[in-house]
Amino acid sequence: MLRAQVCSNGELSFLMEAHDGLSATIAQRSGFKGLWASGLSIACSLGYRDANEASWSQLVDAVERIVDSGPLPVLVDGDGGFGNFNNARLLARKLLQRGAAGVALEDSCFPKMNSFVGDRHPLADIDEFSGRLRAVKDTVADDLVLVARIEALIAGYEMDEALLRAHAYADAGADAILIHSRRSTADEILSFARAWQNRLPVVIVPTKYYRTPISVYRKARISTVIWANHSMRAAIAAMRQVCRRILAEENTASVEPNIATLDEVFELLKYDELARAEALYLRPDAELRK
Ligand code: SPV
Ligand code: MG
């Protein structure tokens, strides 16, 4: 299902960020058809920085909660794979076991730093990173969609370097290329797309260039847009506001209209299903008499 979304050159698809079971459930109920297990957002929800402070096993556990929350395919932000080819293939194998549909690996060095923090991040050597991709492909074959993410533009290199890397990663077996940019306009990723000519599908993350209309990406035949961190950022703003008001007012009356009701919480997590199951398994006779 993820392969059809990411690897189709026809229709633009969207992946919504999730970082836990609740954010995944809300994204699914809102109508999204696929999820991005964001490294930044998962780290943030654990109280860590997006600098490989969370371990690969903590990532895999978070992904399991996301996968378990519903039927949507999950593309996992695998950072750089937590080390060399061996760490990357281990991560991919564990993600596959936990039900992920794909993994995105970026050509950063361990420990990575979030793309928007600082500049001139060190890039992995092309051949070494291609080895990570090949090792992952040899381990999971086509059971996991493999997205190769290029950090060259983030790190301040020219387009030629990004294209060189894209071709090398395609040769190494990537299924799609994620081209990342920190510019506030989409110019950089659009010139990449023009030069790349869709040798492999292109995935983008318009976190900084959010003003560009989606029609521009359709025209450029981008395959997938990732909304990478917006539920996490929405949660921060909402939680901060409610904390401030309750602290100041020593009362919750004024925040009640702006927060989810308990009934909404019970509905989201399907408490009704548990009640039906109880009738079936705890009191089967009562169920039969209905
Ligand atoms: C993430 O969501 O963790 C990403 C995207 O990698 S970004 O933070 O925009 O680099
Ligand atoms: Mg990330």
Side-chain angles (χ1 to χ4, degrees):
M1 211 159 39
L2 184 72
R3 192 171 295 280
Q5 289 177 34
V6 171
C7 298
S8 125
N9 280 336
E11 211 179 315
L12 182 65
S13 50
F14 297 90
L15 300 179
M16 183 62 193
E17 171 255 316
H19 50 272
D20 59 12
L22 179 60
S23 52
T25 301
I26 291 172
Q28 186 224 322
R29 296 286 194 96
S30 307
F32 281 99
K33 299 284 184 278
L35 299 175
W36 166 248
S38 155
L40 171 64
S41 300
I42 290 171
C44 192
S45 73
L46 294 172
Y48 286 132
R49 289 166 287 212
D50 186 19
N52 283 135
E53 289 185 343
S55 67
W56 68 262
S57 58
Q58 286 176 306
L59 171 65
V60 165
D61 286 343
V63 167
E64 180 171 7
R65 302 313 325 137
I66 293 169
V67 168
D68 266 359
S69 69
L72 296 188
V74 181
L75 175 62
V76 178
D77 177 1
D79 292 333
F82 291 79
N84 69 2
F85 79 92
N86 190 40
N87 304 90
R89 68 180 177 176
L90 174 62
L91 174 70
R93 185 156 55 83
K94 299 318 267 184
L95 289 174
L96 183 59
Q97 285 169 0
R98 304 289 181 101
V103 64
L105 287 187
E106 66 195 32
D107 51 4
S108 59
C109 302
F110 186 89
K112 59 84 56 77
M113 174 49 76
N114 182 270
S115 305
F116 302 128
V117 179
D119 41 31
R120 298 223 67 101
H121 295 184
L123 282 189
D125 172 80
I126 296 188
D127 290 338
E128 187 276 324
F129 184 71
S130 299
R132 282 186 236 171
L133 296 174
R134 282 190 288 108
V136 167
K137 198 72 189 171
D138 286 345
T139 303
V140 298
D142 287 338
D143 295 337
L144 212 54
V145 175
L146 176 58
V147 178
R149 165 167 161 179
I150 295 168
E151 290 285 288
L153 304 177
I154 294 281
Y157 289 87
E158 299 295 322
M159 191 58 67
D160 284 356
E161 178 70 22
L163 286 163
L164 184 72
R165 286 174 176 264
H167 284 291
Y169 304 162
D171 292 343
D175 297 304
I177 297 292
L178 191 163
I179 183 72
H180 207 15
S181 168
R182 59 194 299 161
R183 295 260 179 94
S184 58
T185 68
D187 303 2
E188 212 170 44
I189 67 106
L190 293 174
S191 52
F192 174 89
R194 268 193 302 277
W196 177 243
Q197 300 217 320
N198 262 328
R199 178 178 168 195
L200 286 179
V202 176
V203 179
I204 61 169
V205 186
T207 298
K208 293 280 185 179
Y209 45 98
Y210 53 82
R211 288 200 169 82
T212 307
I214 283 298
S215 55
V216 173
Y217 304 138
R218 289 205 167 90
K219 208 162 149 224
R221 292 173 58 229
I222 301 295
S223 106
T224 304
V225 166
I226 296 177
W227 307 121
N229 48 43
H230 301 82
S231 281
M232 177 270 287
R233 288 164 59 200
I236 290 176
M239 288 192 281
R240 182 185 286 138
Q241 199 187 21
V242 86
C243 284
R244 281 182 180 158
R245 280 178 82 157
I246 294 174
L247 180 74
E249 294 169 15
E250 297 183 332
N251 185 294
T252 61
S254 79
V255 303
E256 274 294 337
N258 300 317
I259 59 179
T261 63
L262 285 175
D263 281 346
E264 282 178 86
V265 175
F266 302 148
E267 195 273 328
L268 265 178
L269 276 299
K270 299 195 187 126
Y271 280 59
D272 57 338
E273 188 280 335
L274 179 56
R276 284 197 303 278
E278 282 175 352
L280 198 58
Y281 302 118
L282 285 178
R283 300 182 299 277
D285 295 344
E287 178 70 6
L288 284 177
R289 280 198 298 275
K290 268 193 197 166

